[in-house]
């Protein structure tokens, strides 16, 4: 019994250290208690999200899921999607102002955070691909054994923003 108190204090200190270094993980974990509404299961939207954006998000998630299923055979990733209606919220959840979206993966869960520029099927499919790889390979292996170029390359295969209509021979 006398060892429980030091162990508890140590674990609490580790938790506080983790949260201070990675606050976005705690924020994403508690998104349903923040200023967000559930659009559908596993999808949260900022309260300022318009009806048009909500409809677009639903449509683009469907398209992105089809791309993931077409490439991977099925979708095993279950990342929670968080749509931020302004850059400040996006920075709180992603800890960066760059990009249209980001994927935050941990051993206990994954989140896809999108800003207004990420409201399209390409960005959502790209981020879903990161989650899919992490789900299939595992968090630890993805972080330690999979090179970033490979992870990004696979994600780009589902992201059609940078592809011309011409095939590679015509280019």
């Amino acid at each position: 019994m006398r060892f429980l108190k030091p162990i508890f204090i140590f674990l609490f200190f580790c938790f506080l250290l983790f949260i201070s270094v990675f606050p976005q993980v705690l924020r994403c974990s508690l998104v349903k208690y923040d200023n967000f509404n559930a659009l559908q299961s596993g999808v949260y939207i900022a309260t300022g999200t318009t009806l048009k954006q909500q409809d677009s998000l639903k449509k683009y998630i469907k398209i992105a899921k089809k791309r993931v299923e077409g490439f991977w055979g099925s979708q095993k990733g279950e990342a929670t999607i968080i749509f931020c209606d302004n850059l400040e919220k996006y920075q709180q959840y992603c800890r960066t102002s760059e990009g249209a979206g980001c994927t935050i993966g941990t051993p206990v869960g994954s989140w896809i955070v999108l800003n207004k520029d990420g409201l399209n099927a390409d960005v959502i499919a790209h981020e879903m691909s990161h989650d899919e790889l992490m789900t299939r390979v595992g968090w630890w292996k993805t972080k330690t054994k999979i090179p970033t170029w490979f992870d990004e390359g696979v994600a780009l295969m589902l992201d059609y923003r940078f592809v011309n209509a011409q095939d590679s021979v015509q280019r």
Side-chain angles (χ1 to χ4, degrees):
M1 287 299 275
R2 68 177 198 208
F3 294 111
L4 286 179
K5 187 174 180 181
I7 290 171
F8 177 74
I9 291 170
F10 175 75
L11 290 175
F12 184 72
F13 176 74
C14 289
F15 175 76
L16 289 177
L17 182 64
F18 179 81
I19 294 306
S20 67
V21 175
F22 303 107
Q24 68 275 18
V25 173
L26 181 63
R27 252 188 217 103
C28 288
S29 299
L30 301 174
V31 68
K32 62 184 165 188
Y33 303 110
D34 200 353
N35 205 12
F36 285 79
N37 298 320
L39 181 63
Q40 58 192 38
S41 179
V43 179
Y44 291 90
I45 56 170
T47 53
T49 307
T50 66
L51 286 174
K52 183 178 178 184
Q53 288 173 324
Q54 292 176 34
D55 291 340
S56 295
L57 184 58
K58 287 180 191 176
K59 179 179 84 172
Y60 295 141
I61 288 172
K62 265 187 186 176
I63 294 168
K65 283 183 177 190
K66 284 183 183 177
R67 286 188 197 175
V68 169
E69 290 170 358
F71 182 81
W72 291 93
S74 65
Q75 185 178 15
K76 295 184 179 183
E78 297 178 355
T80 299
I81 297 173
I82 302 169
F83 177 74
C84 301
D85 64 343
N86 63 54
L87 190 58
E88 292 161 1
K89 271 191 182 134
Y90 180 72
Q91 287 176 320
Q92 288 177 342
Y93 280 83
C94 239
R95 212 173 189 184
T96 182
S97 60
E98 295 179 15
C102 72
T103 302
I104 300 169
T106 69
V108 295
S110 298
W111 299 270
I112 295 171
V113 183
L114 304 167
N115 63 25
K116 287 182 179 181
D117 294 335
L119 191 56
N120 63 69
D122 294 317
V123 172
I124 297 169
H126 181 106
E127 299 304 332
M128 281 183 173
S129 180
H130 291 308
D131 176 54
E132 195 67 28
L133 181 66
M134 196 174 327
T135 300
R136 290 171 183 261
V137 176
W139 174 81
W140 182 251
K141 281 186 183 175
T142 303
K143 295 298 178 192
T144 61
K145 306 264 189 230
I146 305 292
T148 302
W149 63 262
F150 181 82
D151 189 8
E152 287 298 332
V154 171
L156 282 172
M157 293 178 77
L158 303 178
D159 182 346
Y160 303 157
R161 289 176 292 174
F162 309 107
V163 178
N164 287 335
Q166 301 172 338
D167 65 24
S168 60
V169 174
Q170 291 173 332
R171 277 184 275 168

